[in-house]
């Protein structure tokens, strides 16, 4: 059976790792903060001290880290993934990064004789633990097909999109939807409350129309109860909006609403809302809605 490696065991990485173990695979994992690997170790994962050791013990290594700089560090820094190169080693990056950076990183791996695939996903830890993520894949088609089985374990829908960078581009487009939907819901809820209408009524009507979304049917009910336990933090979505706007600039595009959303999320982080779930943007909007009229 294919040996799986995991570099990065935050909320998403940990959930993916637990599902991989539950599916019967051997897993070798590394995280800079070792305490975050405890649950995986208890379920049978081999925990090592460097990304190099992960590579040495794996046929495919998934990276699930903060940004492109972090991907580069675990890939090419001290005691890195590429330092543990062996025949047939493949790297699959599940991080959310600029597609241009992804192409550059894939190129560096290629120089070292290592194939890299983009494998970003949609869905949080609660979905990952059940293997029900949606995965987008970019990179060499033959490498993708050879390792398709593990991708089908991690995700219940897998879309192959083309060359390196394509999957990360679509991932950024998807996360832009998340940011916009959470803002639209938050302002709709706030407007309804301002008119002395119960937000449940607003959601009932919204969810009776063509304009309903998975977010309006599920997370929105937690939002109106001020329940913002993070599955994906507000500060992480702010980081992704930075990447979205940088990618747009790199592609020669102007995305006016992405810029405005980035500023709103930046203000929310500066006001101390960053550790909430991304839907905690409602708490920020609730705070400023009337204060800005004063």
């Amino acid at each position: 059976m294919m040996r799986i490696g995991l570099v990065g065991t935050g909320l998403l990485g940990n959930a993916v790792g637990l599902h991989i173990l539950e599916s019967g695979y051997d897993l070798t994992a590394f995280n800079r903060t070792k305490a975050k690997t405890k649950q995986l170790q208890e379920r049978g994962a081999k925990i090592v001290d460097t990304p190099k050791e992960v590579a040495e013990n794996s046929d495919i290594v998934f990276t699930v880290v903060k940004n492109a700089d972090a991907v580069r560090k675990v890939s090419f820094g001290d005691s890195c993934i590429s330092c543990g190169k062996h025949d047939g080693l493949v790297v699959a990056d599940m991080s959310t990064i600029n597609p241009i950076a992804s192409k550059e990183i894939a190129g560096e791996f290629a120089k070292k004789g290592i194939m890299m695939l983009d494998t970003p996903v949609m869905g949080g830890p609660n979905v990952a633990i059940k293997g029900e993520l949606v995965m987008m894949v970019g990179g060499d088609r033959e490498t993708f097909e050879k390792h398709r089985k593990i991708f089908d374990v991690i995700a219940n829908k897998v879309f192959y999109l083309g060359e390196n960078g394509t999957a990360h581009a679509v991932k950024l487009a998807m996360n832009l939807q998340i940011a916009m939907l959470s803002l639209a819901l938050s302002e709709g809820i706030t407007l309804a409350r301002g008119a002395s209408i119960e937000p449940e009524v607003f959601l009932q009507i919204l969810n009776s129309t063509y304009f309903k979304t998975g977010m309006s049917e599920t997370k929105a009910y937690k939002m109106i109860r001020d329940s913002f336990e993070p599955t994906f933090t507000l500060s992480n979505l702010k980081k992704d909006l930075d990447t979205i706007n940088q990618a747009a600039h790199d592609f020669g595009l102007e995305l006016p609403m992405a810029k405005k959303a980035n500023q709103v999320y930046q203000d929310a982080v500066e006001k101390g809302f960053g550790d909430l779930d991304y839907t905690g943007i409602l708490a920020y909007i609730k705070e400023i809605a009337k204060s800005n009229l004063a």
Side-chain angles (χ1 to χ4, degrees), residues 7 30 48-57 61 63 69-86 89 91 105 108-109 112 114:
V7 174
F30 164 82
V48 295
D49 295 323
T50 65
K52 176 177 182 286
E53 293 170 85
V54 174
E56 289 171 340
N57 287 276
V61 177
T63 51
D69 287 341
V71 175
R72 289 188 176 96
K73 184 174 181 179
V74 300
S75 299
F76 311 118
D78 295 335
S79 299
C80 61
I81 292 169
S82 59
C83 301
K85 176 193 171 184
H86 56 81
L89 177 64
V91 176
I105 293 167
E108 287 299 310
F109 270 122
K112 299 176 185 297
I114 300 170

Side-chain angles (χ1 to χ4, degrees), residues 5 14 35 66 134 140 143 150 163 191 204 214 225 269 283 286:
N14 183 65
K66 184 177 181 180
V134 174
D140 179 68
T143 303
I150 188 60
E163 65 180 13
L191 182 60
Q204 182 181 6
R225 297 194 302 269
V269 170
K286 182 180 178 180

Side-chain angles (χ1 to χ4, degrees), residues 63-213:
T63 51
V64 195
V65 294
K66 184 177 181 180
N67 53 33
D69 287 341
V71 175
R72 289 188 176 96
K73 184 174 181 179
V74 300
S75 299
F76 311 118
D78 295 335
S79 299
C80 61
I81 292 169
S82 59
C83 301
K85 176 193 171 184
H86 56 81
D87 289 346
L89 177 64
V90 172
V91 176
D93 180 39
M94 292 178 69
S95 314
T96 301
I97 66 173
N98 191 313
I100 293 175
S102 180
K103 287 184 180 182
E104 293 170 351
I105 293 167
E108 287 299 310
F109 270 122
K111 291 176 185 176
K112 299 176 185 297
I114 300 170
M115 297 301 296
M116 174 188 152
L117 298 172
D118 318 334
T119 55
V121 296
M122 294 301 296
N126 57 323
V127 175
I129 198 74
K130 298 182 287 186
E132 296 179 354
L133 293 165
V134 174
M135 178 180 286
M136 298 145 282
V137 181
D140 179 68
R141 181 79 186 237
E142 185 177 343
T143 303
F144 162 66
E145 294 293 352
K146 183 177 179 180
H147 297 82
R148 177 68 187 256
K149 186 175 180 180
I150 188 60
F151 303 142
D152 287 335
V153 167
I154 293 170
N156 64 1
K157 291 186 180 179
V158 180
F159 296 88
Y160 176 78
L161 299 173
E163 65 180 13
N164 285 103
T166 53
H168 283 303
V170 174
K171 168 65 174 174
L172 293 181
M174 295 302 297
N175 279 21
L176 182 56
Q177 308 310 300
I178 293 173
M180 296 302 190
L181 287 172
S182 59
L183 284 168
L185 269 175
S186 295
E187 294 200 353
I189 289 166
T190 301
L191 182 60
R193 282 174 170 161
S196 299
I197 298 166
E198 290 297 324
E200 289 91 342
V201 174
F202 163 66
L203 292 177
Q204 182 181 6
I205 296 169
L206 173 60
N207 291 330
S208 299
T209 73
Y210 173 80
F211 305 103
K212 66 183 178 181
T213 65

